[in-house]
Amino acid sequence: VIYLVVALATCASGIALLRLVRLDTGSVAVDVPMGWMVGAAWFALGAFAARSLAGIATGGWVAAAILALPVAGWAVSRLRPSAARIRREAPPARQAHWLPRPVGVFAPMVVWILVAAVGVTMHGASTPTHTDDAYRVRGLAPVLVARGDWTYEARAVVAMAGAIPAFVPALPWVAGAPIEPLHVGWASVLTFLALLGVVIGLGAARGSPRVGWGSAFALTTMPLLLYHWTSTYSDAWLAAYLGAAFAFLVAYGRWGEEGDAGRALLLLLGVAMVKREGELLALPVIMLLLAQVAWQGRRDGLRAVTRLLGPCIALPVMLAARVATVGVDGAFPFLRAAADRATGPTAATDAAVSLAGGGASPSPARIFLDAMFSDGNLGILYWVLVASLVLLFPRVRRNGLAWSGLALGVLLAETAASALWLYPQFTLDHSTVHRALLPVSAAAAVWLAALLADDPTVPATPPPAEPRSVRRARRRAGARA
Amino acid sequence: VGPWAALLLAVAPLPGAREVPPLAIASQVGATSPMQVTAEGIAFDVDGWVAVFLPLPGAEVIQVDYRATGNLMLTWGSADGTTTPSPHSPPWHHEPLEPGTGRRTLELRTTAGWAADRVPYLFVEGTGSFVLTGLRARPAPDDAAAVDRSRDEALRWAPIRVAHTTINLIEPQVWLASRDLLVTDLLGGIFLAGALGGTLAFWAWKRRWRPAPFLAGSAVAVALAGNAIFAVRAAPAVALAPSLDPTVRLAAWRDFSPELGPLAALARGQVGPGEAVGVLAKRSDWFGWETLCFHLAPRRCVQVLPERPEHAGLQGVDRLRWEQIDVLLVFHPEVPLPPGWVPVAVLNRNSFVARRR
């Protein structure tokens, strides 16, 4: 019961936060799953900052206060509706459309999505954590948070896991449920379901159910990603937030609604709260998003960028919390590794190069390409992506996918740089190359679905109804007038 | 349905197999531990692990009848007789053995490095006894081409074997092992043929360039085929029977070790939430003590290394001196139980919970 209550409370907190910053979509199907993701990120940020910057342990009351804050803020904001808010937030009305066509094509896809969702949920909820990384970091961090450990060793584990994987699974335990290591993966499974909900709901809400269902289908055709949802590994968290962010990035490119840019930004901030390299994935995409907003907004562009900068305060807060937790050296190990690598090969890379040179193993580049195209861990995603990019290139611009495509390219380049240049030894031994591709592959799946399934030459159905909060505000303003 | 189907498949008769009475080959069986030949079969006492090499060169599938006691797991593979096999290497073929009598059909063609001239081995680990009471073997075909075809067929639909490295990668799925053709390469080729062929055909017919429907249609069809293959292979490994009681789930969890899940479950019932736990296990066995400590959380838990003044737990977070430890979890230790400690809950002679006298 506590798990259910906590999930609902997190969701409610996220929805309240979305309404407070006027980024709710007006569609329950989108706002509820996104509420979970945003609420989880909000709680993780608040709890992590409170613990590391203010020394406040994550107890039940603290958790309740963090979750209640957006609800209170939203309640207060409802008392003061403003005409400006109504003007800014009223999106063009569209009608939700859930059934993709042709039904004959999409029906088996929907069946597969359901099979994958049930399989992941059942297996993820039933299987005890069993990987070394989970024992040492990903599953251990929430236990330490719930236990209140804050020694240097405990802080190092929490910082390594990242705020979201460390604090969110611990939430039911700090709320009073007994600490149960077997349930540490439940939050990850719920986030997987939330991701599916966001992409399907958003497609339906925007009158493009083919994009929504296509995204969910593409996301569930990657065997290794499905397996990761059932583990406690953080690559699954990264994939969830990045995939959901890309759903809004492509929507922003397609429809140009500023709200979608804001929603993408919130989810990208969530990406930055996973592992110690989350911000390295999130930052370039955020920069590109802001550039896109400035470019598309034209005369109002800079003002729009300024409006988006508000939530970005989360990023320095999170980084400051991490530095306070483990110091500068421990907070940014990847930057340090990159600096070391740039100044000359390290012992590990030397060993890797000599191993590859011996002819016993293919080169890192070959292994990286095999991981993308041949090994099957990512299904046939990259075959379809490359072919679609070549054959449908004009559609990239027409569908408004150029900026998000550029962001995808940057992410892929980052992943390749890590696998081929920074840590080739982990590519040669196959230990990280496949799972390092999972986050960018989730983004690629969503982007690909928008490229393949969305045809702007087909007249779109009307936009969804405006958010309920805006409707209420409009009614109140009308009544006062 | 899945477990029942697997059970029925495991005990079904093995077509094309010949009966190999264990007693008839007993003198040629190689084992790493002493074995006893009884009227029932070939018996082994399992105390940690025992490897048994069967004199059945060329076998592609074997079926074993057994009687087991205690907590055991069976791993199988093939060996060439010149190198020591690595039973836990991927793809790790293993199954827990229920106490009592049973039958297992063991596919050798899908194990690492199998060839028609290799001999099968059984690797039984845990604590208990194992009696090989019956044996059947299906030999590989005589000619090399038929062997290749046979292995190709076996590997094409081979179940995914979840192991310690699965989190890093799922073993690539092959379609034709004899030609190094992977399923994804095959599907990718079909996708390209469908997408390009359809686009070009439509262009030739209508003089219109419309690649999107053919890309999408081909992608969906091929992805569904890939998903179906993955589902068939993954189904045996998927846990579809959740229990609301975590301790029950843990007790039944023997995917990686026949004893760790049951021992952790046993300990959770014995150790209070405020008590400090030490795990006495083999120094080289990282998985054992880490599994026990993790699943005993939130209790303080450390790996006991007798020569150390202070013992450390996962990532060094928990640190306990010897006198601070309230409970010992003993799991195949290298050293005897320290004086003054007595077992209070026993899974078997190698796995138990001990407290100070």
Side-chain angles (χ1 to χ4, degrees):
Chain A
V1 173
I2 292 180
Y3 286 83
L4 187 62
V5 169
V6 160
L8 291 174
T10 307
C11 205
S13 180
I15 293 172
L17 183 62
L18 286 170
R19 291 191 173 184
L20 182 64
V21 296
R22 301 160 198 166
L23 289 175
D24 56 319
T25 65
S27 163
V28 174
V30 182
D31 287 347
V32 169
M34 199 180 159
W36 162 258
M37 298 180 85
V38 171
W42 164 255
F43 170 73
L45 177 69
F48 189 34
R51 191 70 178 94
S52 56
L53 296 175
I56 301 170
T58 313
W61 289 110
V62 172
I66 293 170
L67 289 178
L69 207 54
V71 180
W74 171 63
V76 169
S77 76
R78 286 186 64 196
L79 300 174
R80 298 181 58 195
S82 72
R85 171 181 161 192
I86 295 168
R87 274 200 307 275
R88 250 183 66 189
E89 283 309 307
R94 264 179 245 136
Q95 189 179 6
H97 183 51
W98 285 93
L99 285 180
R101 295 184 189 282
V103 174
V105 172
F106 278 90
M109 294 166 66
V110 173
V111 169
W112 171 255
I113 293 166
L114 292 175
V115 166
V118 170
V120 166
T121 304
M122 299 282 272
H123 189 75
S126 307
T127 310
T129 300
H130 56 262
T131 61
D132 57 343
D133 197 37
Y135 287 159
R136 296 168 193 168
V137 183
R138 318 295 167 196
L140 180 62
V143 171
L144 299 178
V145 166
R147 253 178 25 177
D149 283 304
W150 205 244
T151 60
Y152 180 79
E153 289 82 2
R155 297 201 306 270
V157 171
V158 169
M160 202 182 302
I164 289 179
F167 284 86
V168 175
L171 190 45
W173 305 335
V174 299
I179 295 176
E180 177 47 73
L182 267 84
H183 296 165
V184 75
W186 283 14
S188 173
V189 170
L190 192 54
T191 307
F192 159 70
L193 297 176
L195 171 64
L196 294 186
V198 166
V199 296
I200 294 170
L202 184 62
R206 298 297 158 84
S208 304
R210 289 194 300 183
V211 175
W213 288 102
S215 298
F217 181 71
L219 284 165
T220 52
T221 56
M222 291 181 270
L224 188 63
L225 188 54
L226 291 181
Y227 182 65
H228 265 247
W229 295 118
T230 68
S231 79
T232 56
Y233 265 48
S234 299
D235 301 295
W237 286 99
L238 275 180
Y241 276 87
L242 210 47
F246 263 72
F248 286 105
L249 280 179
V250 298
Y252 178 57
R254 173 79 167 86
W255 303 101
E257 267 180 33
E258 191 187 315
D260 285 336
R263 292 167 196 121
L265 180 67
L266 287 185
L267 292 162
L268 288 168
L269 292 170
V271 173
M273 293 178 211
V274 182
K275 299 175 84 172
R276 289 177 299 183
E277 66 266 39
E279 75 274 10
L280 296 180
L281 290 175
L283 260 177
V285 184
I286 290 174
M287 300 302 286
L288 279 169
L289 174 62
L290 294 178
Q292 181 184 7
V293 170
W295 177 265
Q296 287 189 192
R298 308 210 183 271
R299 268 177 292 182
D300 191 39
L302 283 179
R303 209 173 295 165
V305 168
T306 311
R307 282 195 291 270
L308 284 178
L309 284 177
C312 288
I313 191 72
L315 196 57
V317 169
M318 195 275 300
L319 295 179
R322 199 194 297 162
V323 169
T325 302
V326 287
V328 176
D329 269 3
F332 307 107
F334 287 85
L335 296 180
R336 194 179 56 192
D340 290 347
R341 186 77 179 88
T343 55
T346 62
T349 52
D350 274 346
V353 169
S354 70
L355 177 65
S361 169
S363 67
R366 175 64 194 272
I367 294 173
F368 188 75
L369 288 175
D370 281 349
M372 290 174 69
F373 290 98
S374 288
D375 287 349
N377 283 261
L378 304 172
I380 59 159
L381 176 73
Y382 286 98
W383 287 83
V384 183
L385 182 68
V386 171
S388 302
L389 202 53
V390 171
L391 292 176
L392 298 176
F393 193 73
R395 204 188 253 202
V396 171
R397 190 162 177 275
R398 210 167 59 210
N399 284 19
L401 293 171
W403 285 95
S404 51
L406 191 58
L408 182 62
V410 169
L411 288 176
L412 198 53
E414 273 192 279
T415 309
S418 171
L420 305 180
W421 176 73
L422 194 57
Y423 297 115
Q425 65 272 30
F426 299 146
T427 302
L428 286 167
D429 68 9
H430 292 263
S431 61
T432 63
V433 60
H434 296 83
R435 54 190 169 95
L437 276 163
L438 292 179
V440 66
S441 299
V446 173
W447 190 85
L448 175 63
L451 177 66
L452 265 181
D454 191 18
D455 187 352
T457 59
V458 177
T461 50
E466 61 191 12
R468 195 164 35 173
S469 55
V470 175
R471 286 203 303 273
R472 283 181 185 154
R474 190 190 293 280
R475 275 202 303 272
R476 278 205 206 95
R480 286 181 188 181
Chain B
V1 174
W4 279 104
L7 183 66
L8 289 173
L9 283 173
V11 301
L14 185 59
R18 64 184 170 88
E19 196 74 31
V20 184
L23 298 183
I25 59 166
S27 61
Q28 297 167 277
V29 169
T32 56
S33 295
M35 63 180 184
Q36 291 180 315
V37 181
T38 67
E40 189 183 15
I42 305 172
F44 300 90
D45 182 41
V46 184
D47 189 6
W49 59 269
V50 56
V52 182
F53 294 84
L54 301 171
L56 301 169
E60 60 177 26
V61 184
I62 60 173
Q63 194 171 56
V64 295
D65 296 339
Y66 66 88
R67 185 172 59 78
T69 63
N71 309 85
L72 299 180
M73 172 179 283
L74 173 66
T75 295
W76 66 94
S78 67
D80 61 8
T82 60
T83 53
T84 306
S86 304
H88 297 146
S89 296
W92 179 17
H93 288 55
H94 63 288
E95 283 183 23
L97 296 176
E98 300 296 337
T101 58
R103 172 179 287 181
R104 288 284 189 278
T105 300
L106 310 179
E107 175 61 75
L108 293 164
R109 293 169 296 180
T110 56
T111 58
W114 179 83
D117 57 347
R118 288 163 71 100
V119 297
Y121 70 80
L122 309 177
F123 184 84
V124 188
E125 56 192 310
T127 304
S129 66
F130 177 81
V131 185
L132 183 64
T133 59
L135 186 61
R136 281 156 293 279
R138 190 170 77 200
D142 287 335
D143 72 294
V147 170
D148 284 347
R149 277 198 304 276
S150 170
R151 185 160 181 261
D152 286 346
E153 285 169 16
L155 281 167
R156 190 170 299 143
W157 299 101
I160 291 173
R161 306 279 177 177
V162 176
H164 294 296
T165 55
T166 307
I167 197 70
N168 294 332
L169 82 156
I170 298 171
E171 289 290 303
Q173 168 66 13
V174 292
W175 187 256
L176 279 177
S178 54
R179 296 184 191 174
D180 285 334
L181 178 60
L182 299 175
V183 166
T184 313
D185 287 339
L186 178 70
L187 292 176
I190 294 172
F191 158 72
L192 286 181
L196 290 173
T199 303
L200 292 173
F202 189 78
W203 178 79
W205 183 35
K206 295 276 189 180
R207 294 292 162 187
R208 287 176 61 195
W209 184 252
R210 290 196 61 198
F214 301 101
L215 276 168
S218 187
V220 169
V222 168
L224 283 170
N227 292 347
I229 294 172
F230 170 66
V232 168
R233 296 180 59 228
V238 179
L240 296 176
S243 164
L244 288 178
D245 185 339
T247 303
V248 170
R249 266 163 53 201
L250 200 53
W253 179 61
R254 292 174 299 158
D255 293 351
F256 295 88
S257 159
E259 296 167 283
L260 283 172
L263 178 59
L266 179 70
R268 284 159 60 115
Q270 294 287 326
V271 186
E275 291 189 297
V277 181
V279 178
L280 190 62
K282 282 192 179 71
R283 185 180 303 266
S284 59
D285 179 12
W286 65 267
F287 188 68
W289 80 265
E290 288 190 3
T291 299
L292 291 169
C293 275
F294 181 79
H295 288 294
L296 278 169
R299 301 160 182 87
R300 307 271 161 192
C301 182
V302 296
Q303 178 192 26
V304 173
L305 296 172
E307 76 281 4
R308 299 262 175 92
E310 187 181 61
H311 309 281
L314 292 167
Q315 295 294 77
V317 175
D318 289 340
R319 291 183 179 278
L320 298 170
R321 293 188 306 278
W322 175 247
E323 60 273 17
Q324 292 177 302
I325 295 174
D326 302 308
V327 181
L328 270 184
L329 288 193
V330 180
F331 179 67
H332 291 270
E334 289 170 325
V335 296
L337 188 64
W341 290 77
V342 289
V344 293
V346 177
L347 182 69
N348 56 53
R349 63 181 181 271
N350 289 319
S351 307
F352 53 88
V353 183
R355 286 182 180 277
R356 294 178 200 275
R357 201 186 304 271

